[in-house]
Amino acid sequence: MARERITLKSNSDIVLMREAGLITAAALKAVREAISPGVSTLELDSIAEATIVSMGAKSNFKLVAGYRHTICASINDEVVHGIPSKDRILRAGDIVSVDCGAITPSGWNGDAAFSKVVPGGNPELMASRQRVSDAGESALWAGIAAFATATRLNEVGRAVEKSIKAAGRFGILQDYIGHGVGRSMHEDPAVYNYQTRDLGPVIEPGLVIAIEPMITAGSQAVKILDDEWTVSSKDGSDSSHWEHTVARHAGGIWVLTAEDGGVAGLAKYGITPVPLES
Ligand code: MG
Ligand code: MG
């Protein structure tokens, strides 16, 4: 394994990253509220863009070479990297995963994602898709909770995998993983959603990572669609994607892309996030 170059953040860096995190959270909140049958994924993209710009930041997805949108919106068997389009109209009962990020004028990034079942669909189908979403969300918080006390980074992957396996028979994507976040949206280290042979780097204060489980209700095998972006399950099974940017500092952890810093999500683990003063 190539040696990773991890850039640790100071407390004041993390305070600045919180701004990027809160703007990302606001954009995703606005998108979540707009999700309903008949809305196109391009409309969701405009809502995210308007939110980010109104808060004085920019979309960092638009800085990814070849990508022109503010969000990725992936529907049903699409797991990640779905391209917004006026022709992709949400239907009642769809599960849509929305991924978004912001970069502040000071140059710091946030990155987060959620899945949501579009209201008003067939109750059985909705319940089955909600289970896929819930398994991903629980795994995300299990991973964040592990990050609070872990000494080696793959303790996060182990916790994510364990949570997913406890929730049922889900596929965990192997080639798409979490990452460090900082002045670049994607930095070292790699953050796996499963146990690896290598325990991963030793966790030090100042490590900021995106934890982002990507799962399917079937096989872990995925394919890339003809648009060269969208990652879809090979067997057509439904999928979900949940993500937060999380900082570990000397005093604890802080979920930068959660409005409450992670208070609600971590409560059942007995962990209280620790904000830093600016
Ligand atoms: Mg993301
Ligand atoms: Mg990410």
Side-chain angles (χ1 to χ4, degrees):
M1 189 184 290
R3 192 171 169 79
E4 293 182 304
R5 273 187 274 272
I6 297 172
T7 312
L8 297 173
K9 280 77 187 175
S10 68
N11 283 358
S12 53
D13 292 341
I14 292 170
V15 168
L16 290 172
M17 288 191 75
R18 173 65 164 162
E19 286 176 30
L22 285 177
I23 295 167
T24 302
L28 286 174
K29 186 182 182 194
V31 168
R32 178 192 284 276
E33 285 166 0
I35 288 175
S36 58
V39 172
S40 76
T41 55
L42 191 62
E43 289 173 83
L44 299 181
D45 188 76
S46 306
I47 289 165
E49 174 71 14
T51 307
I52 290 171
V53 169
S54 76
M55 295 177 81
K58 284 184 181 161
S59 158
N60 50 17
F61 281 31
K62 286 182 167 174
L63 302 177
V64 174
Y67 201 74
R68 293 192 207 88
H69 293 91
T70 300
I71 65 170
C72 291
S74 309
I75 302 173
N76 298 339
D77 56 321
E78 300 168 354
V79 194
V80 285
H81 301 173
I83 304 172
S85 163
K86 64 175 170 40
D87 300 322
R88 294 304 303 277
I89 311 289
L90 297 180
R91 295 164 306 175
D94 280 346
I95 179 168
V96 58
S97 299
V98 179
D99 193 353
C100 182
I103 181 167
T104 57
S106 57
W108 296 101
N109 286 274
D111 186 10
F114 70 88
S115 297
K116 183 178 175 179
V117 179
V118 182
N122 170 286
E124 257 174 64
L125 179 66
M126 288 184 70
S128 110
R129 286 179 167 158
Q130 190 62 49
R131 282 193 291 275
V132 189
S133 179
D134 291 348
E137 185 177 18
S138 297
L140 169 61
W141 287 104
I144 294 170
F147 186 50
T149 55
T151 53
R152 300 287 294 266
L153 185 55
N154 193 236
E155 290 170 53
V156 171
R158 206 163 59 194
V160 168
E161 179 173 10
K162 191 175 162 200
S163 172
I164 293 165
K165 285 192 167 155
R169 292 170 63 91
F170 297 98
I172 305 174
L173 270 60
Q174 300 293 296
D175 295 339
Y176 297 85
I177 56 176
H179 48 88
V181 185
R183 291 201 170 272
S184 298
M185 178 170 53
H186 296 122
E187 299 183 348
D188 284 343
V191 181
Y192 298 96
N193 293 311
Y194 43 87
Q195 182 163 6
T196 57
R197 193 178 291 267
D198 190 292
L199 292 173
V202 171
I203 294 175
E204 293 177 72
L207 181 61
V208 182
I209 56 171
I211 301 173
E212 50 177 320
M214 291 160 255
I215 67 171
T216 78
S219 157
Q220 65 190 37
V222 291
K223 60 185 178 187
I224 295 175
L225 302 187
D226 289 341
D227 62 19
E228 294 180 355
W229 282 100
T230 312
V231 178
S232 173
S233 66
K234 242 181 197 169
D235 60 8
S237 58
D238 296 322
S239 64
S240 70
H241 176 209
W242 284 84
E243 177 178 27
H244 272 307
T245 301
V246 191
R248 173 91 174 251
H249 57 84
I253 59 164
W254 197 12
V255 184
L256 301 178
T257 48
E259 222 175 325
D260 68 356
V263 171
L266 289 167
K268 75 177 227 193
Y269 296 94
I271 294 167
T272 306
V274 183
L276 293 167
E277 300 288 330
S278 53

